[in-house]
Amino acid sequence: MISTSSRLLHLLSLLSSRPSWTAGELARRMSITERTVRRDIARLRELGYDVTSDPGRWGGYRLSDGGKQVPLVLDDEESLAVSVALREAAQTGVIGDDQAALSAFLKLRQLLPARVASRLGAMDDVFEHTTRVCGQPLSPGMLAGLARVCRRCERIELAYRNMRGVDSVREVDPYRLVFTGNRWYLVARDVARDTWRTFRADRVVEARPTGRAVSFDDPPDAARFVAEMLTSDYPLYATVRLPLPLADAMRLVPPTAGVHRVDGPDSTIVEVGGQDTESLAIYLVRLGTPLTVLAPGSVREEVRRRALALADSNTVAGAADSPPRPDR
């Protein structure tokens, strides 16, 4: 289920995208009930957003452009959340060039109450990050520009530099931006080739809007499309069944590591790629959850062997432990 904060951000985005929405339209667009829409509208008003509504069955909600400026007042938990988010953005490059996020984080940190700064400092002492994947710097402006043409469904002339450093210009119809945890990818339809493609956002030299609106009859699942692209070069694949709903399975095995499909309300089939049988088996065992390896047999046997060895080692270790002493 989508979190309340994510839902409010989605609702605010929809209200900003056109002059008016009915409760039914918002409910269908967000896959929630009209009652939840009304409750979320009330929450936005409590936060200071000027959302007006017309009476009657067909009345719509509107976000006023001339609303009052809402003062930014954050409690301790909100201040900590914003600080952590900015620091992670600076570390990961999730919003492009990390300098802007780092600058904002350092400015905010100076304004934090001592009690919040102390909690943030405790996190700094224990958090570690792996080396970031190399790539060209991605400016927030470029990321925002790509997001804007995706939202407008507007064809662009894409100046792009491939992995060999060769530049090209092509017309594409941008659809979605997907963040993999390492990089941003633009999912778009190549007009000349009439095929769906992925483009690394940090290799986009320029994206020139053409002013031509486009529509998509049968667009791909963008996250799945990128995942399939990223996992298409492994020499070996394993297909497993996880006894988890799709959302939980995608948290355990992220879309960048496997391709998912629903197998009932409480089960998900995942295809995972790896270099060899041993590496795949190690990855699956380390998931730490019951699973069924459907194929291939070599991975199934290696997972079984490792699971049995792990169970035996735990049994031996448990037998060697001293019995617990009662509390005194």
Side-chain angles (χ1 to χ4, degrees), residues 69-142:
Q69 293 293 325
V70 182
L72 183 60
V73 180
L74 304 177
D75 62 23
D76 286 5
E77 295 302 320
E78 291 169 336
S79 298
L80 185 64
V82 172
S83 300
V84 171
L86 284 171
R87 184 183 54 192
E88 291 305 296
Q91 290 279 1
T92 63
V94 64
I95 58 173
D97 181 12
D98 53 15
Q99 292 305 308
L102 179 60
S103 176
F105 168 64
L106 294 177
K107 290 177 181 178
L108 177 61
R109 187 164 187 164
Q110 295 180 21
L111 303 176
L112 293 175
R115 59 185 179 275
V116 179
S118 176
R119 294 173 64 186
L120 188 63
M123 293 182 180
D124 289 337
D125 291 339
V126 298
F127 279 12
E128 297 286 349
H129 285 80
T130 59
T131 303
R132 284 177 53 182
V133 176
C134 295
Q136 298 297 323
L138 175 61
S139 71
M142 173 63 77

Side-chain angles (χ1 to χ4, degrees), residues 207-275:
R208 296 185 289 271
T210 65
R212 180 176 176 182
V214 295
S215 60
F216 304 107
D217 295 329
D218 188 23
D221 180 322
R224 182 185 178 93
F225 188 72
V226 172
E228 290 176 342
M229 180 273 298
L230 292 174
T231 60
S232 62
D233 296 328
Y234 288 114
L236 182 65
Y237 291 87
T239 304
V240 302
R241 177 183 290 112
L242 299 176
L244 299 169
L246 178 62
D248 293 340
M250 293 183 73
R251 280 191 289 268
L252 183 65
V253 181
T256 53
V259 179
H260 306 67
R261 68 175 187 272
V262 175
D263 184 46
D266 299 311
S267 179
T268 304
I269 302 294
V270 186
E271 186 177 33
V272 183
Q275 295 299 322

Side-chain angles (χ1 to χ4, degrees), residues 25 58 98 167 211 219 250 318:
E25 289 173 331
W58 305 108
D98 53 15
D167 291 349
M250 293 183 73

Side-chain angles (χ1 to χ4, degrees), residues 157-232:
E157 289 184 355
L158 186 72
Y160 189 72
R161 182 171 295 130
N162 67 16
M163 62 184 300
R164 294 182 296 276
V166 178
D167 291 349
S168 63
V169 178
R170 69 193 81 190
E171 284 193 334
V172 302
D173 297 335
Y175 177 58
R176 290 288 187 272
L177 284 163
V178 177
F179 186 62
T180 65
N182 294 322
R183 297 188 178 97
W184 283 99
Y185 288 87
L186 171 67
V187 177
R189 183 172 59 194
D190 188 314
V191 176
R193 300 179 181 179
D194 191 25
T195 185
W196 286 97
R197 296 281 307 278
T198 62
F199 301 92
R200 266 180 49 177
D202 59 301
R203 290 180 179 161
V204 174
V205 179
E206 188 178 5
R208 296 185 289 271
T210 65
R212 180 176 176 182
V214 295
S215 60
F216 304 107
D217 295 329
D218 188 23
D221 180 322
R224 182 185 178 93
F225 188 72
V226 172
E228 290 176 342
M229 180 273 298
L230 292 174
T231 60
S232 62

